[in-house]
Amino acid sequence: MSDEKIYTFTSSCIFTVPSNVSVSADVLIVAGGGSAGTYGGGGGGGVLYTQASTFTAGTYTLNVGKSDQNSNIYYEDTLLFDVPAGGRGADVDGTGSNGASGGGGSGAQGSQGTGISPYGNDGSAFGGGGGAGTPATTLSGGDGVEYNSVYYGGGGGNEVVYIQPGLGGGNASYGGGGTYLRVPGIPGFASVGGNGIIIIRYTSDVQLHVTA
């Protein structure tokens, strides 16, 4: 019986499927989360989950996005998947950027960024960044998408207690939007978005040949 194989990529690389074979794999692609502005939280990085994707013999390039960067997969020179990054959060009196999930706004109606279906959701005008799973709610970032008990692509918040890059709605482990923390009497802190990730899972005797 063939064994299940799981390849987890947290940085960009190249892999090769051997000649005369192919694999049918489930693929999770998470882009980088959007950075926080000086008011709004960043939108969560886009999340795409596909089942039974066919990888034929040949060379594949995986680009795993960092903060504000897309994640994608190429077969030779052909783009197979391209998942957008989260939108940047708004600066004071500014507007959140559009992205996979929109960046949080600056408090004015309509200042939030817009999300891109099916990768994410809208931000909130009042500072919360959109998440891959749900839109932002006022100051809080939207939830990420759960995959094997891990959340991906959560939106960053405004005035939340976390001071780590990429945490927010759903406490996303990867692709979370940056958060903006304001504490009275000290300068605010705007974090970068979390890094993306790509996971490939299949059941077969075929081994991928991975190079950095």
Side-chain angles (χ1 to χ4, degrees):
M1 178 178 293
S2 299
D3 294 328
E4 181 181 67
K5 295 177 175 59
I6 300 175
Y7 291 84
T8 300
F9 303 98
T10 56
S11 60
S12 300
C13 68
I14 295 171
F15 73 80
T16 302
V17 177
S19 300
N20 302 317
V21 299
S22 64
V23 295
S24 178
D26 296 341
V27 183
L28 176 73
I29 305 173
V30 182
S35 298
T38 56
Y39 190 96
V47 176
L48 177 67
Y49 177 64
T50 70
Q51 295 179 291
S53 293
T54 300
F55 290 84
T56 57
T59 300
Y60 296 80
T61 301
L62 279 64
N63 297 304
V64 179
K66 300 183 184 299
S67 176
D68 304 312
Q69 295 179 344
N70 294 8
S71 290
N72 49 54
I73 299 177
Y74 282 84
Y75 172 64
E76 308 294 349
D77 294 324
T78 301
L79 179 63
L80 299 181
F81 303 103
D82 188 30
V83 179
R88 186 180 184 278
D91 292 329
V92 175
D93 297 326
T95 301
S97 298
N98 300 333
S101 286
S106 58
Q109 194 64 39
S111 63
Q112 71 272 23
T114 301
I116 302 171
S117 179
Y119 304 108
N121 293 279
D122 295 345
S124 162
F126 300 97
T134 64
T137 55
T138 318
L139 299 177
S140 299
D143 287 338
V145 172
E146 184 181 6
Y147 175 79
N148 285 351
S149 301
V150 178
Y151 279 90
Y152 299 90
N158 174 291
E159 293 189 304
V160 295
V161 297
Y162 302 110
I163 316 179
Q164 302 178 40
L167 294 180
N171 291 349
S173 296
Y174 292 91
T179 63
Y180 182 65
L181 177 69
R182 290 189 295 167
V183 177
I186 65 173
F189 174 82
S191 74
V192 299
N195 294 340
I197 190 172
I198 297 176
I199 300 174
I200 297 175
R201 181 179 68 181
Y202 62 90
T203 301
S204 171
D205 293 327
V206 176
Q207 295 278 359
L208 304 182
H209 301 293
V210 180
T211 57

